[in-house]
């Protein structure tokens, strides 16, 4: 891998083309209205966090700024994943990767809209893919497997991608616990999509 100063710019640019804003309800209000991020996953399906898409309908804010109505067709609050169908969005589908194929210390990055800043990129390293130790206060979610990284996440990153250095999505950003960014691994996301694609 070429490690010059801009080596992540290509993968980040490609991934940005598949990252959307998500706003609850039928009216998106335009480019700045998104409360979280989402990923164009397959066909007309978009994946985000369940705590971002809490209503029966959501508005997809596309990379080119269009506000497109969508329907929340599946919501798994325990795994914090929601699936939105938006046939008119026409957004390039993201490429996914295998988080279990990465080693601890691998470079990863996140794309989202923290504090309303569109398509911001933050970079860090993978710490682990697995369960968290006891005592993290996850209300029973500690038994779940998470992609764990030191990537900086902020409000507006939820539901967006955490990706490897090639820009392949390895997880869906969910939360930060004790300074560690947690993302739902791609295999768990695929299980949530079962029967929809």
């Amino acid at each position: 891998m070429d490690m010059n100063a801009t080596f992540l710019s290509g993968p980040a640019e490609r991934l940005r083309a598949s990252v959307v804003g998500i706003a609850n309800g039928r009216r998106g209000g335009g480019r700045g209205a998104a409360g979280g991020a989402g990923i164009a996953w397959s066909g007309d399906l978009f994946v985000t966090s369940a705590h971002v898409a809490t209503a029966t309908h959501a508005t997809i804010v596309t990379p080119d700024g269009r506000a497109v109505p969508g329907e929340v067709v599946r919501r798994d609050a325990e795994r914090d994943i929601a699936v939105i169908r938006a046939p008119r969005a026409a957004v390039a589908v993201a490429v996914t990767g295998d988080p279990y194929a990465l080693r601890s210390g691998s470079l990863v990055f996140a794309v989202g809209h923290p504090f309303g800043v569109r398509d911001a990129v933050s970079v860090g390293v993978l710490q682990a893919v697995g369960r968290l130790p006891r005592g993290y206060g996850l209300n029973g979610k500690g038994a779940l497997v998470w992609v764990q990284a030191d990537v900086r996440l902020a409000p507006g990153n939820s539901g967006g991608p955490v990706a490897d250095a090639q820009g392949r999505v390895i997880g869906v950003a969910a939360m930060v616990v004790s300074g560690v960014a947690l993302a739902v691994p791609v295999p768990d996301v695929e299980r949530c999509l079962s029967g929809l694609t």
Side-chain angles (χ1 to χ4, degrees):
M1 180 185 300
D2 182 11
M3 295 290 285
N4 64 38
T6 61
F7 77 99
L8 266 185
S9 62
E13 192 65 26
R14 288 191 296 274
L15 186 53
R16 279 184 179 133
S18 301
V19 177
V20 299
I22 304 288
N24 268 313
R26 296 175 188 269
R27 298 181 181 178
R31 179 176 279 272
I39 308 162
W41 200 269
S42 173
D44 59 0
L45 297 177
F46 294 80
V47 168
T48 188
S49 295
H51 73 267
V52 170
T54 58
T56 57
H57 290 81
T59 298
I60 302 290
V61 183
T62 64
D64 60 1
R66 292 175 294 118
V68 179
E71 179 186 2
V72 178
V73 293
R74 185 162 293 164
R75 191 168 177 278
D76 184 340
E78 180 183 4
R79 203 54 185 112
D80 199 16
I81 289 292
V83 183
I84 301 166
R85 190 181 299 278
R88 291 170 36 208
V91 175
V93 171
V95 176
T96 58
D98 180 5
Y100 296 99
L102 299 179
R103 296 181 178 180
S104 296
S106 296
L107 191 70
V108 295
F109 69 95
V111 178
H113 317 302
F115 304 112
V117 178
R118 294 280 300 178
D119 301 325
V121 176
S122 59
V123 181
V125 295
L126 180 72
Q127 294 184 351
V129 180
R131 294 175 176 84
L132 292 174
R134 291 180 180 269
Y136 273 79
L138 285 178
N139 298 324
K141 294 186 179 182
L144 298 173
V145 172
W146 300 96
V147 173
Q148 305 166 36
D150 72 346
V151 173
R152 182 176 174 84
L153 299 181
N157 277 109
S158 292
V162 174
D164 63 19
Q166 285 72 46
R168 297 173 298 207
V169 177
I170 60 168
V172 176
M175 67 184 97
V176 177
V177 175
S178 298
V180 178
L182 303 182
V184 180
V186 161
D188 287 29
V189 177
E190 294 286 1
R191 279 190 284 274
C192 289
L193 283 155
S194 176
L196 292 175
T197 55

